[in-house]
Amino acid sequence: MTIEAAMDISSRIETALDLAVSHAESPHGPPLLTEAIRYAVFPGGHRIRPRLSLAVAIACGDRHPEAADAAATAIELLHCASLVHDDLPCFDNASLRRGRPSVHAAFGAPLAVLAGDALIVLAFETLARGTMTCAHVLPILMTTIGRSVGSPHGIVAGQAWECEKTVALTEYQRAKTGALFIAATAAGAAASGQDPDPWRHLGERLGLAYQVADDLRDVLCDEAELGKPIGQDAALHRPNAAAQLGIVGAKRHLEDLVQSAVSSIPDCPGAPALRDLIKAQTKLFFPKQLALVAA
Amino acid sequence: MTIEAAMDISSRIETALDLAVSHAESPHGPPLLTEAIRYAVFPGGHRIRPRLSLAVAIACGDRHPEAADAAATAIELLHCASLVHDDLPCFDNASLRRGRPSVHAAFGAPLAVLAGDALIVLAFETLARGTMTCAHVLPILMTTIGRSVGSPHGIVAGQAWECEKTVALTEYQRAKTGALFIAATAAGAAASGQDPDPWRHLGERLGLAYQVADDLRDVLCDEAELGKPIGQDAALHRPNAAAQLGIVGAKRHLEDLVQSAVSSIPDCPGAPALRDLIKAQTKLFFPKQLALVAA
């Protein structure tokens, strides 16, 4: 995958997100809500999930570009919704996100609850809008993405495990982080008219890799670099791979997961380019401090 | 509409809701979340919105019964989600709902936020599941129902008006209450393969009527009868038709709205039965104290 192609992916995602968010805006709507919704989505983080989804759709031939954009957008909107709700005072009470006040810190908890709700609704509306010329892919996109977000196995369920006295650790991590990565690869394939199932393994491995990288960042980075509070896992008694395996062990685990992900890419016209892209992308979420750690 | 037909509507709705909620449950999911989701939906209130939606679908010929059930179910799940979030400490802080502890009072605010989120996702998943044999109605159901819930004009936006310093009153009431009633009638028609637009007026009038009835109940009923705190509009400085028009004026306005609603029903095979049903249903939400008020 060339730099130009990667830039094209970024540009498609930002354009599609902007269009989707504009549908939630109106001069007659409540101004603070619409401001909070846009604030929750822009400027974004690395957009890892939608980039992954769109990259898979392109590797599969990009047969329905609007559906692929809609799937990527829906996944990012749902990710943003989960961040807004997870940051609420009744959960992590995080006042910082992406280097600036979190939505509830900037707008108050009521508007943060509502902005998250509106983003969930907008995600599904976006799928309907993006499949007007290829309605046959709408059901599979909805069920694939819906399953990754809702109860019993999606990100909402993942967050809910934090409210249980006994946590099923594998189920927790799969739901909280893995599910949306699996949806990203599966929905990308489905948006191009391909069977999504062979693509789940790629998403699952990358989700696990991302979780390990996130655990390492929580331990290795400083707050300014991370754009959110550090040491949260220890403070909130959450499991952390770096704490369990040590930093060297966690780094090795992360490399193995990326290798397994890349090897799992199904045969398709864009497989070689997708492999290159994923290698380049995953480097981005390795904390730079890891370069100093002996393998 | 016979009593048997009305009972059939109730039975279809409860069965469809139970099936939908069961899809959010799993022995491997987080137990408290799934408990909170079921608690938020059962036992229900009057199920006014899904009854209305299904009654319209039946009046239009009930061409796709599973889609009609799904539309009614999605609308009720979204209504339940809005109640769970509106009751949160950061909004109304209501500890009572339908005569027992509200979801956050019973499960805590974190699980109430997540149960609401999960219900929103489940509503859209239900639409996808219910249209597997008639996928051509899925896009119109999604856009009709999505618009009534999200930003800028749905119930989320309605609730967000309460966070603004200056409230656009008509827009507030239309979004907070009217939107989901409009979706109920429009989606009912769409689920039977009919053009939803001629059915919007019926939903809009009934939504306004319901708002006026709710305002009257807030003033006239006691807490035990209402199953939730009374006098909330005055306490929370919200507009109330009974306070603005007086009880007699509000009662007359309510009767006019119901009459206008019934007159607006488009020509269709089941129009006479639907008119009877709506007259009978709307009587249920007139507070019984109104019988003592001179017209």
Side-chain angles (χ1 to χ4, degrees):
Chain A
M1 170 98 32
T2 62
I3 290 174
E4 288 73 20
M7 293 211 20
D8 183 47
I9 287 181
S10 282
S11 154
R12 273 177 69 173
I13 289 168
E14 296 307 314
T15 304
L17 281 168
D18 182 60
L19 179 65
V21 168
S22 74
H23 282 293
E25 295 171 331
S26 156
H28 305 293
L32 288 171
L33 175 66
T34 50
E35 200 183 323
I37 291 170
R38 190 163 276 279
Y39 184 96
V41 181
F42 299 102
H46 290 303
R47 310 283 198 210
I48 291 174
R49 296 159 192 79
R51 291 169 73 91
L52 176 61
S53 187
L54 198 47
V56 169
I58 292 169
C60 289
D62 205 16
R63 195 184 300 173
H64 309 294
E66 285 184 9
D69 288 356
T73 298
I75 285 166
E76 181 65 9
L77 295 176
L78 291 162
H79 173 59
C80 292
S82 79
L83 297 182
V84 173
H85 281 184
D86 290 1
D87 284 344
L88 282 169
C90 68
F91 292 110
D92 295 0
N93 197 18
S95 56
L96 205 60
R97 169 67 66 183
R98 293 171 178 164
R100 58 180 189 155
S102 60
V103 174
H104 79 87
F107 293 88
L111 280 165
V113 171
L114 295 172
D117 292 353
L119 286 167
I120 300 173
V121 176
L122 185 60
F124 288 100
E125 288 184 286
T126 301
L127 290 179
R129 282 198 195 97
T131 52
M132 284 194 290
T133 58
C134 52
H136 63 286
V137 301
L138 178 57
I140 184 72
L141 290 181
M142 283 183 69
T143 50
T144 300
I145 294 174
R147 178 163 63 166
S148 77
V149 180
S151 179
H153 300 305
I155 49 177
V156 168
Q159 183 71 9
W161 277 113
E162 296 181 14
C163 304
E164 296 286 335
K165 279 190 183 144
T166 314
V167 177
L169 190 59
T170 311
E171 185 64 41
Y172 163 66
Q173 289 181 330
R174 190 183 295 156
K176 177 136 190 197
T177 312
L180 207 51
F181 275 87
I182 295 173
T185 54
S192 283
Q194 298 300 308
D195 177 6
D197 286 337
W199 289 90
R200 292 184 180 277
H201 187 80
L202 172 63
E204 192 221 346
R205 297 286 108 177
L206 290 176
L208 289 170
Y210 185 77
Q211 181 66 55
V212 175
D214 203 49
D215 290 355
L216 279 162
R217 277 196 299 272
D218 190 64
V219 172
L220 290 172
C221 295
D222 62 28
E223 185 167 301
E225 185 186 352
L226 202 53
K228 62 182 183 180
I230 56 160
Q232 287 291 291
D233 292 337
L236 299 169
H237 306 289
R238 286 189 301 224
N240 182 302
Q244 288 169 339
L245 303 174
I247 289 171
V248 172
K251 183 190 176 191
R252 197 171 303 140
H253 186 40
L254 175 52
E255 289 163 344
D256 289 347
L257 286 166
V258 171
Q259 185 51 48
S260 163
V262 170
S263 309
S264 81
I265 292 174
D267 272 342
C268 63
L274 182 61
R275 277 193 284 271
D276 291 348
L277 180 80
I278 285 174
K279 282 182 205 157
Q281 288 285 302
T282 45
K283 268 190 200 137
L284 286 180
F285 60 79
F286 275 57
K288 65 172 190 269
Q289 289 82 347
L290 275 187
L292 309 174
V293 176
Chain B
M1 171 100 26
T2 62
I3 290 173
E4 288 73 20
M7 299 230 346
D8 183 48
I9 287 180
S10 282
S11 156
R12 274 177 67 173
I13 288 167
E14 296 307 314
T15 304
L17 281 168
D18 182 59
L19 180 65
V21 168
S22 74
H23 282 293
E25 295 169 332
S26 156
H28 305 294
L32 288 171
L33 175 67
T34 50
E35 201 184 320
I37 291 170
R38 191 163 276 278
Y39 184 96
V41 180
F42 299 103
H46 290 304
R47 309 286 198 207
I48 290 175
R49 295 158 192 79
R51 291 168 72 91
L52 176 61
S53 187
L54 198 46
V56 169
I58 292 169
C60 289
D62 205 15
R63 195 184 301 175
H64 309 295
E66 285 184 8
D69 288 356
T73 298
I75 285 165
E76 181 64 9
L77 295 176
L78 291 162
H79 173 59
C80 291
S82 79
L83 297 182
V84 174
H85 281 184
D86 290 0
D87 284 344
L88 282 170
C90 67
F91 292 109
D92 295 0
N93 197 18
S95 56
L96 205 61
R97 169 68 66 183
R98 293 172 179 164
R100 59 180 190 156
S102 60
V103 175
H104 79 85
F107 294 87
L111 280 165
V113 171
L114 295 172
D117 292 354
L119 286 167
I120 300 173
V121 176
L122 186 59
F124 288 100
E125 288 184 285
T126 301
L127 290 179
R129 281 197 196 97
T131 52
M132 283 193 291
T133 58
C134 52
H136 63 285
V137 300
L138 179 57
I140 183 74
L141 290 182
M142 283 183 68
T143 49
T144 300
I145 294 173
R147 179 164 61 166
S148 77
V149 181
S151 178
H153 299 305
I155 49 177
V156 168
Q159 183 70 10
W161 278 112
E162 295 182 13
C163 306
E164 296 286 336
K165 279 191 184 144
T166 314
V167 177
L169 190 58
T170 310
E171 186 64 40
Y172 164 65
Q173 290 181 330
R174 189 183 296 155
K176 177 138 190 196
T177 313
L180 207 51
F181 276 86
I182 295 173
T185 54
S192 283
Q194 299 299 308
D195 178 7
D197 285 339
W199 289 90
R200 293 185 179 275
H201 187 79
L202 172 63
E204 191 220 345
R205 297 285 108 176
L206 289 176
L208 289 170
Y210 185 77
Q211 181 67 55
V212 174
D214 202 50
D215 290 356
L216 279 162
R217 277 196 299 273
D218 189 64
V219 171
L220 289 172
C221 295
D222 61 30
E223 186 167 301
E225 186 186 350
L226 203 53
K228 62 181 183 180
I230 57 160
Q232 287 291 292
D233 292 337
L236 299 169
H237 306 290
R238 286 189 300 223
N240 182 302
Q244 288 169 338
L245 304 173
I247 289 171
V248 172
K251 183 190 176 191
R252 196 171 302 140
H253 185 40
L254 175 53
E255 288 162 345
D256 289 348
L257 286 166
V258 170
Q259 186 51 50
S260 163
V262 170
S263 309
S264 81
I265 292 174
D267 271 342
C268 62
L274 182 61
R275 277 192 284 271
D276 291 348
L277 180 81
I278 284 173
K279 282 182 205 157
Q281 289 283 304
T282 46
K283 266 187 199 138
L284 286 179
F285 60 80
F286 275 60
K288 66 172 190 270
Q289 289 83 346
L290 275 187
L292 309 173
V293 176

